[in-house]
């Protein structure tokens, strides 16, 4: 296992354990996610990935161990606190406003972050509109800004949802199966988009994905977990050539 990292960790778990009676969903797992990187967490079904994501977002509590965000211990903080601290998760299924235009969906996300939603309306200040426009440009959605979000293709809907996450100004963005259900061309487009987003915004990304081509094409670092523990951790080449990983994924 390789432990060297290119920069100081934005996110760190130390001896993290989640126990359900006699079952250990996560077992003494220690993990560092370097600032500004794309860090993939992979493993077979039941490996503990969903539990680990839940711990990071504050949806699940540790039985023991600790979690640090930018060097500050945040163990036991709930999901609302973690979201306000910049830990944002994009779920596998789309949850955008189906009847809203793309621009309106992004506007709501920007105003919600600023605490500006008041009952029936939202504020359309120059600052809000500048932020909305910057997200549209970053994600290449300018030509779809006035389209109804729910009528877009799955790939475009996922991009809109990604834009809503970015509008929250995350320091850590968790992506759960971001290419699930996409065609090959949509997947390629999403990979290119995520690379550009990471490069242009510097946001730290924690990614879970079953498509190994996506993982190897995106991740700066990959952590493989099995039965709640780390099996392997390293670069794409190190993980690809690991004998245990080969046996698990490629027989």
């Amino acid at each position: 296992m390789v432990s060297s990292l290119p920069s100081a960790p934005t996110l760190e778990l130390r001896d993290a354990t989640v126990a359900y009676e006699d079952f250990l969903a996560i077992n003494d797992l220690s993990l560092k996610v370097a600032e500004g990187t794309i860090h993939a967490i992979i493993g077979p079904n039941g490996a503990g990935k969903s539990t680990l994501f839940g711990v990071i977002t504050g949806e699940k509590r540790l039985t023991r161990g600790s979690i640090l965000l930018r060097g500050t211990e945040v163990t036991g903080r709930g999901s609302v606190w973690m979201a306000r601290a910049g830990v944002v998760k994009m779920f596998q299924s789309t949850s955008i406003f189906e009847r809203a235009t793309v621009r309106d969906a992004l506007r709501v996300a920007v105003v919600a972050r600023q605490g500006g939603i008041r009952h029936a309306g939202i504020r359309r200040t120059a600052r809000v509109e500048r932020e909305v426009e910057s997200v549209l440009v970053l994600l290449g959605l300018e030509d779809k800004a006035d389209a109804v979000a729910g009528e877009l293709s799955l790939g475009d809907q996922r991009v809109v949802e990604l834009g809503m996450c970015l509008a929250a100004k995350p320091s850590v963005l968790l992506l759960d199966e971001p290419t699930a259900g996409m065609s090959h061309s949509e997947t390629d487009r999403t990979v290119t988009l995520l690379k550009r987003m990471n490069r242009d915004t510097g946001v730290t990304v924690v990614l879970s994905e079953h498509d190994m081509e996506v993982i190897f094409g995106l991740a700066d670092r990959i952590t493989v977990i099995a039965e709640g523990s780390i099996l392997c951790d390293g670069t794409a080449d190190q993980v690809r050539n690991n004998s245990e990983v080969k046996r698990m994924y490629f027989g």
Side-chain angles (χ1 to χ4, degrees), residues 1-7 9 30-34 221 233-235 238:
M1 181 184 300
V2 177
S3 60
S4 61
L5 287 164
S7 60
S30 294
L31 173 72
K32 293 181 179 181
V33 178
R221 194 169 190 85
D233 179 72
T235 65
Q238 289 167 335

Side-chain angles (χ1 to χ4, degrees), residues 201-214:
T201 68
V203 63
T204 301
V205 177
V206 180
L207 167 75
S208 177
E209 174 66 59
H210 279 98
D211 189 327
M212 296 300 290
E213 289 188 17
V214 171

Side-chain angles (χ1 to χ4, degrees), residues 158 176-183 186-187 190-191 194 209 211 214:
R158 298 309 303 276
D176 183 14
E177 302 285 342
T179 68
M182 290 186 183
S183 66
E186 287 176 328
T187 296
T190 300
V191 168
L194 291 175
E209 174 66 59
D211 189 327
V214 171

